[in-house]
């Protein structure tokens, strides 16, 4: 069974792209077939995993607007089990082009339905907005992860995002769930970081992931090398944090047993 997870927060700089790349890479390293979908016109997931968006011939944009088959746009990455459905700057215009299309909120779902059986996980990196492309991602997804940075104003705008999720659940995708709230950019030395963790846990309780993503130099460096942190330095804090998050999601979705069954089937 495939699981489609969108990472969304209309607030920029919360670690959304970093989390998308590194969660997808961690799931892949744990031997789950994973597709990373770059649904952000800035194409940071595309460049952060080693591709030049300017040289991309076919992207999520062509799949949504020109009905290009997703199989023709998907790129294999250097990480085993990890593929990429890239983005480029043309995606900026997609929202305007989609306005007059029938069933416009379901365009990404139709694209991902064609390939979802090829993967265990599909991770969608959303743009920092609540526009039509993000609505498409939430309509296509089974669940949403909300990254929240451990800084001042952490909860600002979260109400608006939760309201959007509720609207999508009511009108477009009744099966959409909140996978969890992910605390990012945690600095153990700062009292503020600890206050934010307490505040978020008080507000959202069981919705908050146990795993917290700590500030880490290796994590910040990795995109400039065009690789995930686990390919950059497998032993650093950032790698360990994201592997723990991947394991937490696998456990939460009861997919550990599924993987074992899969291996047994192959052996027999």
């Amino acid at each position: 069974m495939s699981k489609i997870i969108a990472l969304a927060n209309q607030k920029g700089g919360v670690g959304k792209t970093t989390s998308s790349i590194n969660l997808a890479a961690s799931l892949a390293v744990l031997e789950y077939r994973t597709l990373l979908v770059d649904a952000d016109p800035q194409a940071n997931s595309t460049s952060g995993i080693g591709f030049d968006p300017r040289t991309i011939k076919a992207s999520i944009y062509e799949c949504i607007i020109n009905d290009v088959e997703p199989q023709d746009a998907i790129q294999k990455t250097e990480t085993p089990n990890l593929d990429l459905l890239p983005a480029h700057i043309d995606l900026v215009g997609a929202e305007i082009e989609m306005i007059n299309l029938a069933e416009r909120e379901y365009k990404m779902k139709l694209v991902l339905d064609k390939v979802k059986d090829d993967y265990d996980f599909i991770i969608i990196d959303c743009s920092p907005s609540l526009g039509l492309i993000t609505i498409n991602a939430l309509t296509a997804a089974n669940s949403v992860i909300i990254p929240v940075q451990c800084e001042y104003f952490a909860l600002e705008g979260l109400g608006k995002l939760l309201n959007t999720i509720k609207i999508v659940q009511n009108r477009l995708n009744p099966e959409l769930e909140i996978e969890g709230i992910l605390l990012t950019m945690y600095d153990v030395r700062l009292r503020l970081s600890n206050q934010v963790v307490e505040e978020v846990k008080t507000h959202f309780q069981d919705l908050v992931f146990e795993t917290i993503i700590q500030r880490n130099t290796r994590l910040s460096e990795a995109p400039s090398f065009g690789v995930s942190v686990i390919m950059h330095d497998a032993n650093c804090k950032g790698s360990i944090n994201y592997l723990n998050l991947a394991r937490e999601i696998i456990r939460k979705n009861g997919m550990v047993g599924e993987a074992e069954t899969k291996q047994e089937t192959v052996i027999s």
Side-chain angles (χ1 to χ4, degrees), residues 62-78:
E62 280 78 16
C63 297
I64 290 172
I65 300 298
N66 301 329
D67 296 324
V68 166
E69 291 297 320
Q71 291 90 339
D72 296 333
I74 288 170
Q75 306 278 341
K76 287 218 169 301
T77 74
E78 287 179 21

Side-chain angles (χ1 to χ4, degrees), residues 21 44 47-50 217-228 232:
I21 291 171
N44 288 337
S47 58
I49 208 83
T217 309
R218 289 284 193 238
L219 201 50
S220 310
E221 284 173 359
S224 65
F225 291 92
V227 292
S228 64
H232 183 50

